[in-house]
Amino acid sequence: MCDHCVMETVKEKMLGRRDFFKGLALSGAAAAVVATPASAGTVSVSAAKHLDLTHELHEGFPTYFGKPGISRKSVFNFKDNGFNLLEFTINEHTGTHLDAPLHFSADGQSVAEIPIGNLFCPLAVIDIREKAAGNADAQVTPDDLKAYISANGPIPDGACVAMNSGWDKFVGGDKFRNADDKGVMHFPGFHVEATKMLVEETKSVGMAVDSLSLDHGISKDFATHYAWLPTNRWGLECIANLDAMPAKGATLIVGAPKMRGGTGGPSRVMALA
């Protein structure tokens, strides 16, 4: 068969496939309209506000230990090979990332073992921006939780409780780690008593911070990590854009990596509000 004939045959097949999938999409949309009565009370995902709560990860992203948490090399490139492929070496706890229970326990859930139902959850945002603006060592306290509940009602079952300290705006510079001349970091986190209150008085499954750690920067004992993660709850660190979130009513979606035995990993974190 001549080259021209081959090209025409391929073109016809591609056009046929395009028409087939176009028809399939139209029939599916029509079926959805018929199958979903206006009175059903369902939430339309397309009508929701889609928000990205993830920082872009790169070699210069600040890390808890101060060393680059990610490196990459090109294995194949488009110019020489016709496609691109990069090889990454990544510390699990780099960028916007999830702490799995296994991170601070002997036998807690690995990142792959977290039930998927726990990664789709109501979001409760605790706003301590004013406090953190005047004190880099600020923490979410039981009083902050009580004030939130008084204003917004109980923390929903299965929720992620997030600290909005405004710290994400410092991610591009040294202030994100905020280390003093002795190397001690100063940034906000959750107080261990607030953490215990969440464990004992709520059915929340996740905790999130817009800083480098669930514990505030000057912590030497990781008290919040130890109070939270061994109960088979997860944490998110370095979350972004909480300013754009309502105090209540949003749904968090955590795209955690499904790495066997992993103690966490960089995650794509999204929300519907």
Side-chain angles (χ1 to χ4, degrees):
M1 183 180 290
C2 66
D3 291 345
H4 175 74
C5 296
V6 171
M7 292 176 66
E8 287 301 312
T9 300
V10 171
K11 187 185 297 183
E12 289 175 6
K13 289 183 177 179
M14 291 301 292
L15 288 172
R17 284 169 58 84
R18 183 187 304 170
D19 291 339
F20 170 76
F21 284 113
K22 184 185 294 183
L24 189 63
L26 288 173
S27 62
V33 170
V34 172
T36 309
S39 60
T42 56
V43 176
S44 172
V45 173
S46 61
K49 184 178 181 182
H50 304 78
L51 296 161
D52 192 346
L53 306 185
T54 317
H55 288 294
E56 185 177 17
L57 183 55
H58 55 87
E59 289 88 339
F61 196 93
T63 65
Y64 188 88
F65 295 105
K67 299 178 180 179
I70 181 171
S71 63
R72 62 179 170 176
K73 70 177 182 180
S74 174
V75 180
F76 297 98
N77 66 80
F78 192 82
K79 180 181 178 182
D80 297 330
N81 310 111
F83 64 98
N84 294 308
L85 190 151
L86 299 174
E87 183 176 283
F88 285 90
T89 301
I90 302 176
N91 180 310
E92 291 175 307
H93 300 275
T94 303
T96 301
H97 68 275
L98 185 138
D99 283 5
L102 185 59
H103 185 35
F104 270 75
S105 62
D107 56 1
Q109 294 167 346
S110 72
V111 68
E113 293 170 332
I114 296 172
I116 191 170
N118 287 358
L119 299 175
F120 292 78
C121 55
L123 180 64
V125 180
I126 314 298
D127 191 339
I128 65 163
R129 285 176 292 180
E130 184 176 350
K131 183 164 59 172
N135 177 16
D137 298 322
Q139 298 180 83
V140 175
T141 65
D143 284 344
D144 293 316
L145 296 180
K146 291 174 185 176
Y148 175 90
I149 292 169
S150 177
N152 300 285
I155 291 172
D157 291 352
C160 172
V161 181
M163 175 193 78
N164 180 13
S165 68
W167 213 253
D168 62 331
K169 66 178 178 289
F170 301 129
V171 76
D174 293 339
K175 179 110 183 239
F176 196 66
R177 295 185 76 250
N178 203 26
D180 61 25
D181 56 4
K182 295 182 180 180
V184 177
M185 293 179 289
H186 299 270
F187 53 74
F190 273 84
H191 193 286
V192 65
E193 293 303 324
T195 305
K196 291 177 180 178
M197 179 178 168
L198 290 174
V199 171
E200 295 167 3
E201 300 182 22
T202 77
K203 295 182 180 180
S204 49
V205 298
M207 174 185 290
V209 295
D210 54 3
S211 60
L212 269 171
S213 175
L214 303 181
D215 287 274
H216 64 163
I218 62 174
S219 172
K220 296 180 179 180
D221 58 6
F222 297 105
T224 289
H225 279 79
Y226 281 114
W228 185 253
L229 296 177
T231 65
N232 270 341
R233 292 171 168 88
W234 49 260
L236 282 171
E237 296 171 335
C238 302
I239 197 169
N241 299 324
L242 286 175
D243 286 357
M245 303 305 300
K248 66 175 183 178
T251 299
L252 191 72
I253 304 165
V254 184
K258 196 172 183 180
M259 301 293 292
R260 182 178 297 178
T263 72
S267 303
R268 190 67 179 262
V269 182
M270 300 152 282
L272 299 175

